[in-house]
Amino acid sequence: MSDVNERITEKLNSSDVVLFMKGTPLFPQCGFSSRAVAILEHLGVEFGSTDVLQDPEIRQGIKTYSEWPTVPQLYVKGEFVGGSDIMMEMFESGELQALLEEKGVRRAA
């Protein structure tokens, strides 16, 4: 396993919900990342994030890791869920909430 894949795996293991995004939850650097953060905050789940703009290796490596060409990328319990469009569709249909419950992800206190 390459160094970048090991780093990605470590990040995925650090939290039940992980968002690879452009910017930070407080200062998203693109509309798609902003939408992804808003969805997760609305659902009230704690999540870890990684700013891919600060790490070019992760920025490219996450695309290879997931075989998904864009960022943001959402992972729940280490499993790739999708980007912001998929997150929005799943949120609107109730699938995202169901997935989080099924995986045992608790709401933030």
Side-chain angles (χ1 to χ4, degrees):
M1 184 185 280
S2 73
D3 177 53
V4 72
N5 281 354
E6 288 176 16
R7 290 175 48 218
I8 290 169
T9 300
E10 284 175 17
K11 290 177 185 297
L12 294 176
N13 290 335
S14 70
S15 184
D16 285 348
V17 180
V18 178
L19 184 66
F20 287 85
M21 61 182 290
K22 293 179 180 176
T24 66
L26 287 177
F27 297 104
Q29 297 296 307
C30 77
F32 297 110
S33 291
S34 181
R35 182 192 316 170
V37 168
I39 291 168
L40 293 173
E41 288 179 345
H42 181 79
L43 293 174
V45 295
E46 289 184 22
F47 64 97
S49 67
T50 297
D51 180 0
V52 300
L53 298 177
Q54 298 299 316
D55 192 332
E57 275 190 341
I58 294 285
R59 184 177 187 174
Q60 187 54 46
I62 195 63
K63 295 173 185 179
T64 304
Y65 188 92
S66 64
E67 298 179 1
W68 190 259
T70 59
V71 172
Q73 293 186 15
L74 176 68
Y75 290 79
V76 175
K77 298 271 183 146
E79 270 184 51
F80 177 61
V81 175
S84 67
D85 290 345
I86 290 173
M87 286 177 68
M88 181 59 92
E89 289 172 18
M90 290 178 73
F91 172 71
E92 289 174 345
S93 72
E95 287 178 77
L96 187 54
Q97 298 89 316
L99 173 69
L100 293 169
E101 287 176 21
E102 175 188 311
K103 296 287 186 178
V105 175
R106 301 188 196 284
R107 288 184 172 263

